[in-house]
Every structure is written in structure tokens, then in C-alpha cells.
Amino acid sequence: MTDRRQNLIVLDMAGTTVADDGLVERAFTAAAERLGEDPATMIDHVRATMGESKISVFRHLLGGDETRARQANLAFEEAYGELVSEGLIAPVPGAAETIGELRDQGRTVVLTTGFARVTQDAILDALGWRDLADLTLCPADAGGRGRPYPDMVLTALLRTGAVDDVRRAAVAGDTSYDMLSGVRAGAGIVAGVLTGAHTRPALTAHGATHVLGSVAELPAAIREYES
């Protein structure tokens, strides 16, 4: 019989464990304006690709111009960092407690993001979360490929050694790309949460095995799955 215990929990940050109240869109707008681009022509694609590595989004928006994409990504990271420094982010209610509960149960928790490491660290510092999870990962930690690729989930498995079967990993996020990443990795639970960018239909259409009101409902969903 297959062991269904979910010993590796891979959680997205912005929109899933971190409530940023539209800061991603605000930072994209600021970045576009700094480069002389019209953000109105970009915002639909930005919304559709929430969860993807930001440099990949800019590569698409700027027609594959690598130099401009890197300039735009740097401007985005700077703008987001400025918003974080202004204290405009907060934990999703119950997120920190949920992570603590999961770790107390002997599970390994990994926080992932589509942001660059410098921005991820700024968020962790702003929230006092440096020691909250067992590991934090950004696309650069997984060879440069973020979501919807499965690389960060698989890197979490390899780095932590928490499970010997990816079906014993649970992935949770608020975007379609989070769902695709979990499905492509082969995770047992791929949970969409409704505290972020995408709706229930979008999450289920991209492979969610569960759709939860928030990450605070994840421990109960895991217990039910394991029973």
C-alpha cells in the first residue's frame, strides 16, 4: 500500500502565505513606467501569469529582448522592495500558525516564490519569517526555471530529503501556474487557495486536487487525504 503521508509541504508566498494587496501589479506598473513602456498593454498578461518567474514574464512582454527584460526585472524588484519597505505586506491570516502546526507534526515546509532572492529575503525580513520554514527557494535556486515548471518542487525534495516519493509532497498556491508546477512534479496534493490571484475555475482547470479558502485549511485537507 502506498504511503500517503505528506511529509514535504511546498508553499507559495505572495497570495498564498503572504497578503500583498496587489503589490505585484503595482510593482509591474512602476517597472513598465521606468522603462517608458505602457503598463496598460501588459497588465492582462501579468495577471494571467501570476506565479511565473518575473524575468520570464518580462521576456515575453518585451519580445525576447534579454537586455530590456533584465532591466525591467530589476526595476520590478526594486519597486516591489520599496513597497515592502513601506510595510505594505502582511501574513495571510493564520499562515504562520499553519506553517508552525505542519512543522510540529514532523513535516518539512518549504516556501517558494517567483521573485528574485533579494526580494524574497526582503519579504522574509519584513515579516520576521527567516526561521519560519525549513527552506526557502526562488527560481535561481532551481536552475533558473520558475513556475509552471516543476523545478522548485523537485528542488525542495532533493534539498530536504524529506520524502522518497514526490507523491508524498503537497503543493499549495494561489495561481494556475502553482497548480501546473505541482501537477508536473507529481505531488500527491495540489491545493489552490482563494486568497490570491486566481479563481476556483482557473485553479481546478489547471489541476488542483483541492481548492481551499486559505492556507489555514491545508492541515485539515492533508489529514483527510492521509486517512
Side-chain angles (χ1 to χ4, degrees), residues 60-105:
H60 175 87
L61 289 170
L62 298 171
D65 185 329
E66 185 67 18
T67 298
R68 293 278 287 168
R70 290 187 179 278
Q71 290 172 344
N73 189 61
L74 179 59
F76 168 81
E77 300 287 352
E78 289 175 347
Y80 197 95
E82 290 166 6
L83 293 167
V84 168
S85 69
E86 294 172 12
L88 297 180
I89 62 168
V92 166
E97 293 81 1
T98 296
I99 293 169
E101 177 183 350
L102 292 168
R103 292 185 74 189
D104 286 347
Q105 293 169 358

Side-chain angles (χ1 to χ4, degrees), residues 13 17-18 84 87 89-91 95-97 99 103 111 119-133 136:
M13 292 180 66
T17 55
V18 179
V84 168
I89 62 168
E97 293 81 1
I99 293 169
R103 292 185 74 189
L111 290 173
T119 304
Q120 184 178 37
D121 285 346
I123 295 169
L124 294 169
D125 288 340
L127 298 176
W129 278 15
R130 280 285 188 169
D131 299 317
L132 182 64
T136 62

Side-chain angles (χ1 to χ4, degrees), residues 2-226:
T2 301
D3 186 350
R4 291 168 64 88
R5 180 167 170 80
Q6 304 291 280
N7 275 358
L8 175 62
I9 315 298
V10 182
L11 304 177
D12 172 51
M13 292 180 66
T16 303
T17 55
V18 179
D20 72 357
D21 293 326
L23 296 194
V24 170
E25 290 190 21
R26 288 172 62 180
F28 262 108
T29 297
E33 291 174 345
R34 290 179 191 183
L35 267 70
E37 301 285 346
D38 180 5
T41 66
M42 300 181 170
I43 200 65
D44 286 344
H45 182 74
V46 170
R47 290 169 179 159
T49 56
M50 285 290 189
E52 185 177 4
S53 170
K54 300 303 176 281
I55 184 65
S56 299
V57 175
F58 280 117
R59 286 182 182 124
H60 175 87
L61 289 170
L62 298 171
D65 185 329
E66 185 67 18
T67 298
R68 293 278 287 168
R70 290 187 179 278
Q71 290 172 344
N73 189 61
L74 179 59
F76 168 81
E77 300 287 352
E78 289 175 347
Y80 197 95
E82 290 166 6
L83 293 167
V84 168
S85 69
E86 294 172 12
L88 297 180
I89 62 168
V92 166
E97 293 81 1
T98 296
I99 293 169
E101 177 183 350
L102 292 168
R103 292 185 74 189
D104 286 347
Q105 293 169 358
R107 308 179 200 273
T108 298
V109 179
V110 178
L111 290 173
T112 64
T113 184
F115 297 141
R117 168 56 63 180
V118 63
T119 304
Q120 184 178 37
D121 285 346
I123 295 169
L124 294 169
D125 288 340
L127 298 176
W129 278 15
R130 280 285 188 169
D131 299 317
L132 182 64
D134 294 280
L135 179 68
T136 62
L137 294 173
C138 67
D141 298 319
R145 295 202 311 183
R147 309 179 193 103
Y149 295 101
D151 301 27
M152 285 197 290
V153 178
L154 299 177
T155 298
L157 184 154
L158 293 170
R159 289 273 190 96
T160 65
V163 296
D164 56 8
D165 185 335
V166 75
R167 290 173 294 180
R168 295 178 59 205
V171 173
D174 66 298
T175 71
S176 300
Y177 279 12
D178 289 310
M179 302 303 94
L180 285 173
S181 179
V183 169
R184 291 172 178 178
I189 291 177
V190 181
V193 298
L194 299 175
T195 51
H198 292 163
T199 62
R200 180 184 296 270
L203 297 169
T204 55
H206 289 84
T209 61
H210 300 68
V211 178
L212 310 175
S214 82
V215 72
E217 298 175 12
L218 184 60
I222 292 173
R223 287 194 298 271
E224 181 179 357
Y225 175 85
E226 292 174 339

